[in-house]
């Protein structure tokens, strides 16, 4: 799954640490999501959507291999 967390973070002038604090997760979790190594729970995805004031499907995008 692709995501635009890093882009949204930059638009909102947030560090990984600040976003992690707002979302209630570790900075390492944010870093792992940005690198595509961690797929967030539905709850975390919705929290990020709320923080960025952006629909979930504009932050996260399924890739072809996600359908297999």
């Amino acid at each position: 799954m692709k995501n635009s967390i890093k882009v949204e973070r930059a638009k909102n002038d947030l560090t990984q640490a600040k976003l992690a604090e707002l979302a209630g997760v570790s900075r390492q979790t944010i870093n792992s999501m940005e690198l595509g190594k961690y797929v967030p729970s539905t709850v975390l995805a919705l929290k990020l959507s709320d923080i960025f004031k952006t629909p979930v499907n504009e932050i996260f995008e399924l890739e072809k291999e996600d359908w297999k």
Side-chain angles (χ1 to χ4, degrees):
M1 176 169 29
K2 292 187 336 184
N3 71 69
S4 62
I5 295 170
K6 190 172 186 175
V7 172
E8 293 298 328
R9 227 177 16 84
K11 283 190 213 174
N12 289 274
D13 195 31
L14 294 170
T15 63
Q16 286 183 344
K18 184 61 178 176
L19 178 57
E21 179 185 326
L22 292 171
V25 297
S26 70
R27 186 202 57 78
Q28 290 84 353
T29 297
I30 300 299
N31 185 56
S32 292
M33 283 191 295
E34 288 184 0
L35 294 173
K37 295 180 178 181
Y38 177 76
V39 176
S41 67
T42 304
V43 171
L44 180 52
L46 290 168
K47 284 181 182 180
L48 294 173
S49 173
D50 188 58
I51 291 165
F52 294 141
K53 296 180 179 30
T54 303
V56 171
N57 64 332
E58 289 185 20
I59 300 170
F60 299 97
E61 182 182 337
L62 290 175
E63 296 180 283
K64 195 173 193 174
E65 60 268 12
D66 293 322
W67 289 95
K68 294 180 181 178

